Amino acid sequence: MCIGDRVLPLHALHAQALRCGAQWPEAASVLDLLQHWDRNLAVLRALRETVPARHDAELPMERLRVHPPVDLPRQLLCTGANYRKHVVDLTLDMGVGPEGLEGPALRKWAEDMMDERAAHGEPYAFPKLPSAVTGAFDPIVLPATTQKPDWELELAVIIGRRARNVRREDALHYVAGYAIVNDVSARDLIARTDYKMLGTDWLRSKSPPSFMPFGPVLVPACFVPDPQNLRITLKLNGQTMQDESSADMLFDVARQIEYISAHVELWPGDLIATGSPAGNGMHYNRFLREGDVLDSEIEGLGMQRNVCTRSQATKAS
């Protein structure tokens, strides 16, 4: 449990938590707490009011290696092409559209298409492997398989209750909290060129190790008044590349949960990455390189810092 820059391990609060009606084992993880989130959150909030100004077990966060706040989610779902300006910009950057359209006319066509999709379309979601998850301050390891690794800062939703066929108007009641993720992507590996009818290949383009920095904290939903009004900012080597509001989502958090839960069952601790706003490397034609430093922030959810390194070829034993 984090209180400002102080960190209290769960085991130090275990006995007191049990007296308050908590349901977690002595060696509990955050994933354990999420299995009975409504009750355990109430206990955590009660404990927060009674923890003394100094606690024998507390440590400053700066002295710790910060692991993902849920270590690890069992399921990762990502929503693609979910920010209006991002998709419009990519349409212009790639020149995708009706033949003969360019400049302002192409932009108008793309904007109208996005408005139509928001009004009558559906989210586009796909899985990403949990083995891609890493900590908020860990390195991003760029594999030799890609020449176009790209950043995608995103608002993450952490599920707090089993969810299946959830109605949009009820969806936010299934959210335990919010966090920061960076859905790092190998742009040159998304499309299958050997057999184009296969379409996209999310395994190789999205799931290498370290391709999802997550954290540093899970902020309970009760402390995030409006997930559709959060500023999302990413800097590459100090230069601002993404600076947008979650208000630009085509499909809001509730609609994404409704759509995903209609097709799969969500479990406590599962993570939904809700799409990335405008300003990816694809837009700038500038991709991640060894030595790059990414500083990422979402309003009220903390900050990440990740240094990019190149993977070393593994020698055969």
Side-chain angles (χ1 to χ4, degrees), residues 44 70 202 208 268 313:
L44 288 171
V70 182
W202 299 122

Side-chain angles (χ1 to χ4, degrees), residues 133-156:
V133 171
T134 193
F137 307 109
D138 290 342
I140 295 172
V141 182
L142 308 177
T145 53
T146 176
Q147 299 304 309
K148 293 185 176 182
D150 199 354
W151 60 87
E152 294 195 76
L153 183 59
E154 307 194 10
L155 172 66

Side-chain angles (χ1 to χ4, degrees), residues 81-94 106-107 110-115 117-118 232 241-251 275-280 282-284:
N82 193 45
Y83 276 75
R84 186 178 186 274
K85 186 176 186 300
H86 167 62
V87 180
V88 170
D89 284 352
L90 286 183
T91 300
L92 271 67
D93 296 337
M94 299 172 68
L106 180 58
R107 176 173 292 277
E111 290 173 343
D112 290 345
M113 183 176 62
M114 287 302 98
D115 291 341
R117 181 170 172 239
I232 298 173
M241 310 301 276
Q242 292 184 283
D243 189 358
E244 189 56 86
S245 168
S246 58
D248 196 45
M249 286 186 192
L250 292 168
F251 303 104
S276 187
N280 305 124
M282 188 74 175
H283 174 65
Y284 298 106

